[in-house]
Amino acid sequence: MVVSDAEEILGIGDWGVNGTDISVGKLAVYTAAAGIHPERAIAVNLDCGTDNEALLNDPAYLGNRHARVRGRRYDELIDEYLSVAAELFPHALLHFEDFGPSNARRILLANREKYRIFNDDMQGTGAIVIAAVVSGMRVTGQSFADQRLLVYGAGTAGTGMADQIHAGMVRDGLSPDEARSRIWLIDRAGLVTDDMEGLPDYQQAYARPASEVADWTREHGRIGLLETVRRVHPTILIGTSTDHGAFTREVIEEMSSGVERPIVLPLSNPTERIEAMPADVIAWSGGKALVATGIPVEPFEYEGITFTIGQGNNALLYPGLGLGVIVSGASRVTDGMLLAAAQAVANQVDPTSPGSSLLPPVENLRASSATVAVAVARQAEADGVATASHDNLIQAVQDAMWQPVYPEVEV
């Protein structure tokens, strides 16, 4: 079941009940990529009103004509939806999509231990980034515990990526506090620090102590990207800002001066929003950077090497994750299952040869989804949340995938 209140649709914003189309589209990918039977897929829209004045004044708009409901009434609706959905469909994966930044993370954190809930904007996007990072670390020979992460654009998606990488650091031996100390977020007001007023809940865990950065250079009262890169020398730089051109030559050169093989992920889309074009990042880093993007990019040459740039498309991951949850009967979606999905995506490519992609192509999603599903189901068993067991997990996944063929008709 894919549910949305359509408050924050990428590139569109608040779309009210028209966001039902997003839920339908996500379910179509579940079916096409992972063979989820279309009769077992339900699109849901929570009509909480809309703050989009154009929709409120459109005579053809089908939704409730009032501003968005927030606060206690909103929370009661979410609680009621989860309770009723879980009661009516006790084995369903409850996929959340395009909720606003003030709600997405707190709904997930409040309910992920009680329900089989998954937020694609936070967890799916975070996991596909993890896949790119895992591939990059195969090149560098490092682990999550060796990383220093800088996220430029600290909305729910960017912070969700930080959450996933933080979980990887903890799994690799760091304490939660040690892992948080290796993560920096930059938003519109600059580097996120604990003296900023009105920090959203999803940024608070990663806010740097103001005393730590007291002597850092500020421009217009903010600590910017270049200064943070100079001070931190991150091993991973992620862009989810839609700030076109933010990853300048100076930023990439500075990052490359302190890191042998920096992982640079300008993920904003469409093309006019991307933080830097991959060909520039490769050239400015002297061919050292390991790059994946959120847009499709044609292969290009640099100093005689053809570079293939992988696209961080969630469709590589979430359909297989859902299939793995179904096959295993997992009672909830764990961080381990998300990491297993990411590793299964990463394992579909060999990133070690010069110019190789960090992520597989999106052309063969069905095979990719089956591979991810097997890994997720195995991890569900390892994490103790699986409720179904299979003698042959690979065959069980294949058997669970609906095929779009006409059944035989007996006359």
Side-chain angles (χ1 to χ4, degrees):
M1 299 177 69
V2 176
V3 61
S4 180
D5 72 356
E7 182 177 2
E8 192 62 43
I9 297 174
L10 181 65
I12 298 174
D14 185 342
W15 217 21
V17 297
N18 297 339
T20 305
D21 292 351
I22 299 296
S23 297
V24 171
K26 285 285 182 174
L27 289 169
V29 177
Y30 269 115
T31 296
I36 305 301
H37 199 298
E39 291 182 357
R40 300 181 64 82
I42 302 175
V44 181
N45 184 278
L46 301 180
D47 187 356
C48 303
T50 178
D51 291 337
N52 185 326
E53 292 188 26
L55 294 179
L56 290 173
N57 293 301
D58 184 348
Y61 180 61
L62 297 177
N64 286 318
R65 295 175 184 274
H66 56 68
R68 280 194 172 272
V69 173
R70 303 186 186 279
R72 181 180 58 81
R73 289 180 63 207
Y74 178 88
D75 290 345
E76 288 174 350
L77 175 63
I78 296 297
D79 291 344
E80 186 75 2
Y81 166 72
L82 285 167
S83 175
V84 172
E87 180 180 354
L88 292 176
F89 304 99
H91 305 297
L93 173 64
L94 306 178
H95 174 136
F96 276 56
E97 187 74 27
D98 290 328
F99 281 70
S102 64
N103 295 318
R105 190 171 192 266
R106 67 184 188 87
I107 290 172
L108 176 65
L109 293 180
N111 294 286
R112 66 178 304 192
E113 298 298 322
K114 296 184 288 184
Y115 298 102
R116 195 181 293 101
I117 184 174
F118 166 72
N119 185 300
D120 189 43
D121 302 299
M122 297 194 67
Q123 295 171 298
T125 302
I128 200 66
V129 169
I130 287 284
V133 171
V134 167
S135 285
M137 292 189 306
R138 287 169 63 191
V139 178
T140 64
Q142 295 178 324
S143 72
F144 282 106
D146 301 312
Q147 305 309 309
R148 296 182 301 279
L149 169 66
L150 175 55
V151 178
Y152 183 72
T156 53
T159 310
M161 296 170 195
D163 288 342
Q164 292 288 312
I165 293 174
H166 178 272
M169 290 175 173
V170 172
R171 285 176 67 91
D172 277 358
L174 297 184
S175 71
D177 287 343
E178 287 174 328
R180 275 190 292 272
S181 73
R182 292 171 172 263
I183 297 172
W184 292 259
L185 305 182
I186 294 180
D187 213 359
R188 290 182 177 88
L191 181 69
V192 175
T193 56
D194 61 8
D195 61 341
M196 291 178 168
E197 294 184 3
L199 281 182
D201 62 333
Y202 52 88
Q203 292 181 356
Q204 291 172 10
Y206 301 109
R208 309 298 298 194
S211 58
E212 174 187 286
V213 299
D215 63 340
W216 290 25
T217 300
R218 286 170 164 78
E219 292 185 12
H220 308 295
R222 298 177 295 181
I223 298 175
L225 176 60
L226 180 58
E227 174 67 6
T228 305
V229 170
R230 282 174 175 157
R231 298 281 188 162
V232 172
H233 280 118
T235 59
I236 305 169
L237 175 60
I238 294 175
T240 52
S241 66
T242 68
D243 183 6
H244 182 65
F247 294 178
T248 63
R249 179 176 195 138
E250 197 172 9
V251 165
I252 299 302
E253 288 180 343
E254 182 65 37
M255 186 177 179
S256 302
S257 70
V259 179
E260 179 61 30
R261 298 298 304 273
I263 298 173
V264 182
L265 308 175
L267 299 175
S268 293
N269 60 72
T271 302
E272 56 267 23
R273 300 287 184 89
I274 194 170
E275 288 80 9
M277 291 304 294
D280 291 331
V281 175
I282 294 297
W284 296 337
S285 67
K288 297 195 301 180
L290 301 163
V291 183
T293 64
I295 62 170
V297 175
E298 291 294 322
F300 58 87
E301 285 200 8
Y302 173 76
E303 293 191 348
I305 297 174
T306 299
F307 284 81
T308 303
I309 304 298
Q311 182 186 3
N313 191 321
N314 288 20
L316 288 166
L317 190 136
Y318 76 81
L321 175 73
L323 180 60
V325 170
I326 290 169
V327 169
S328 66
S331 58
R332 57 189 179 87
V333 178
T334 66
D335 284 336
M337 292 161 66
L338 292 165
L339 182 56
Q343 289 174 327
V345 171
N347 289 341
Q348 295 174 48
V349 295
D350 177 7
T352 57
S353 58
S356 293
S357 174
L358 298 180
L359 295 168
V362 297
E363 283 81 6
N364 196 9
L365 287 179
R366 209 158 173 96
S368 175
S369 296
T371 301
V372 170
V374 171
V376 168
R378 282 186 177 141
Q379 190 62 44
E381 292 183 9
D383 288 347
V385 297
T387 62
S389 60
H390 305 276
D391 293 333
N392 188 326
L393 192 53
I394 294 174
Q395 189 59 48
V397 166
Q398 293 297 321
D399 292 343
M401 297 178 77
W402 174 76
Q403 302 292 335
V405 295
Y406 288 110
E408 292 185 12
V409 178
E410 295 185 8
V411 180

